[in-house]
Amino acid sequence: MVRRRGTYKIKIRNKQLICHACQNDKFKHREVYMEIEELSFNEKKEKLTLQSFNCTVCGETRMFQEKNRYDHATGVHISIIEYMEVREA
């Protein structure tokens, strides 16, 4: 499991992530790794990585799958998740 140290404001596809419970916009981060097993005879397993964000006020957890999108301006694939570290006073 990977954990980014600190507090972050998060954008998902250029939209600010806001806690549904308390309207806070600051989160702690960690990666969650899961193994998905298909319910069939061929026993196919797939690994899934989720980005988990915990609200710093109420503790509500939001999870998103890390994906990339194509940026036509730069011609490269970039993550749909943007992290901006927040310095606490």
Side-chain angles (χ1 to χ4, degrees), residues 11-13 29-32 34 36 46-53 62-69 78-83:
K11 283 187 178 181
I12 309 290
R13 295 191 184 271
H29 167 268
R30 85 173 130 185
E31 280 186 357
V32 178
M34 302 175 77
I36 300 173
E46 186 179 332
K47 291 189 178 190
L48 177 65
T49 302
L50 298 173
Q51 305 304 318
S52 174
F53 303 108
R62 305 279 304 276
M63 294 179 127
F64 295 89
Q65 184 175 1
E66 183 75 46
K67 292 188 176 187
N68 291 321
R69 64 179 171 82
I78 58 174
S79 175
I80 64 167
I81 302 173
E82 297 175 42
Y83 301 86

